[in-house]
């Protein structure tokens, strides 16, 4: 059998991704929307690649990435949060980023979309390692990184682990400064990790309704159970056990004193009415990073600020990333 082609650094070369396989679904709104969003990625010039990571660290690990076939401009890595695949969270950002001179690169984190692993590691460190290996495989060595919620945890870890690769970071409602004791103290709408997992990995229409009402300031007024059940079946039924394990690993024993300080200029964007990661965590992160950070609060928005106020969030991201590096470091407004 012929050996697998490799990219620079010995990583396997990215392979065109196979079409996503979904169970047959008659009149599925979720499947139709998924196809529509994928077409937006194609129309923006991005293509899907499946990157099998080399052994031993990446044994049995495949990272699915949307990227330009030959990234030639300033790359911006976009990391999604819990929920559906990356296409559902970043589609509206592609055109503005491209128009501003950036190349968006959009992976599915492990156990979301078409990314998966046989490894037992559930830490954000492993997620960061996998995404960095995928970036190496497509030949992108330096980039800015934007992370939403859970994706912000991975983005922060990448900035800490790979300072030579990450130029700037943008953290969107990413509660990296949370501590496990915050749950018992009542800072969050959940009192423990198990309840957090039930909220963020919904299995019933009622769970999805609760999640939407917590994350949006203006949730849809009508959410029929048939639509919510369809969404769970099509987009939210894969790797639920593994996603729950990700949350347990993320929260159990977490202490602010263990969080490293990253050296990159960092923009912090937060929804003013975030109920999942309250504003206290934004201020903690700003204090933790000091003069290298800048906080932007988006009015009339909750935790899903990247969806609820996508134009405003994208505008802030573009303006920040286009600033001279010294201005960003000095936290100038």
């Amino acid at each position: 059998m012929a050996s697998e082609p490799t990219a620079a650094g010995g990583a396997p070369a990215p392979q065109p991704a196979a079409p996503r396989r979904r169970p047959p679904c008659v009149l599925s709104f979720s499947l139709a929307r998924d196809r529509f969003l994928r077409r937006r990625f194609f129309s923006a010039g991005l293509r899907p690649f499946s990157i099998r990571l080399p052994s031993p660290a990446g044994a049995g690990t495949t990272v699915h990435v949307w990227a330009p076939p030959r990234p030639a401009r300033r790359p911006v890595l976009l990391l999604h949060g819990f929920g559906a695949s990356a296409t559902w969270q970043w589609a509206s950002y592609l055109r503005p980023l491209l128009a501003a001179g950036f190349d968006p690169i959009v992976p599915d984190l492990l156990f979301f979309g078409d990314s998966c692993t046989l490894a037992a590691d559930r830490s954000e460190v492993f997620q960061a390692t996998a995404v960095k290996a995928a970036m190496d495989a497509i030949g992108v060595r330096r980039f800015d990184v934007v992370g939403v919620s859970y994706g912000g945890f991975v983005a922060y870890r990448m900035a800490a682990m790979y300072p030579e690769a990450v130029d700037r970071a943008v953290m969107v409602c990413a509660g990296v400064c949370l501590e496990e004791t915050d749950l018992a103290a009542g800072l969050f709408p959940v009192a423990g990790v198990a309840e957090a997992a039930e909220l963020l990995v919904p299995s019933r229409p009622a769970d999805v309704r609760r999640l939407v009402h917590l994350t949006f300031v203006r949730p849809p007024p009508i959410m029929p159970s048939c639509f919510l059940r369809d969404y769970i079946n099509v987009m939210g039924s894969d790797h639920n056990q593994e996603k729950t394990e990700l949350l347990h690993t993320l929260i159990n024993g977490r202490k602010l004193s263990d969080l490293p300080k990253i050296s990159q200029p960092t923009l912090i964007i937060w929804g003013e009415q975030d109920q999942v990661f309250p504003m206290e965590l934004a201020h903690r992160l700003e204090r933790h990073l000091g003069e290298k950070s800048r906080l932007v609060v988006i009015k009339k928005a909750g935790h899903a600020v990247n969806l609820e106020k996508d134009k405003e969030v994208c505008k802030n991201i573009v303006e920040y990333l286009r600033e001279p590096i010294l201005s960003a470091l000095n936290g100038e407004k």
Side-chain angles (χ1 to χ4, degrees), residues 272-299:
E272 183 182 37
Q273 299 178 51
D274 192 336
Q275 298 183 69
V276 176
F277 289 145
M279 280 295 307
E280 162 61 20
L281 296 181
H283 295 303
R284 274 189 205 174
L285 181 56
E286 186 181 27
R287 291 193 298 268
H288 185 70
L289 296 179
E291 293 182 353
K292 295 177 182 178
S293 67
R294 181 188 309 170
L295 174 61
V296 172
V297 179
I298 306 297
K299 305 290 186 181

Side-chain angles (χ1 to χ4, degrees), residues 66-192:
W66 287 90
R70 294 179 180 83
R73 302 187 298 175
R74 185 172 166 186
V76 178
L77 176 64
L78 305 176
L79 300 180
H80 64 84
F82 264 70
S85 64
T87 52
W88 286 60
Q89 299 186 36
W90 291 118
S92 63
Y93 290 74
L94 302 181
R95 292 290 184 183
L97 285 169
L98 288 163
F102 298 98
D103 273 339
I105 299 174
V106 191
D108 288 324
L109 295 174
L110 298 175
F111 302 118
F112 297 87
D114 292 320
S115 295
C116 61
T117 183
L118 297 178
D121 195 335
R122 299 291 181 260
S123 68
E124 70 261 41
V125 171
F126 186 71
Q127 290 270 19
T129 302
V131 174
K132 178 59 166 61
M135 295 293 278
D136 289 342
I138 62 175
V140 177
R141 303 299 182 184
R142 294 186 66 87
F143 50 89
D144 301 309
V145 62
V146 181
V148 170
S149 192
Y150 176 69
F153 285 77
V154 180
Y156 193 96
R157 193 60 60 173
M158 291 187 75
M161 294 169 62
Y162 308 109
E164 76 288 349
V166 177
D167 288 328
R168 307 191 203 194
V170 180
M171 311 291 289
V172 183
C173 292
V176 295
C177 287
L178 75 84
E179 299 188 288
E180 184 181 6
T181 55
D182 289 331
L183 278 74
L187 183 63
F188 304 123
V190 296

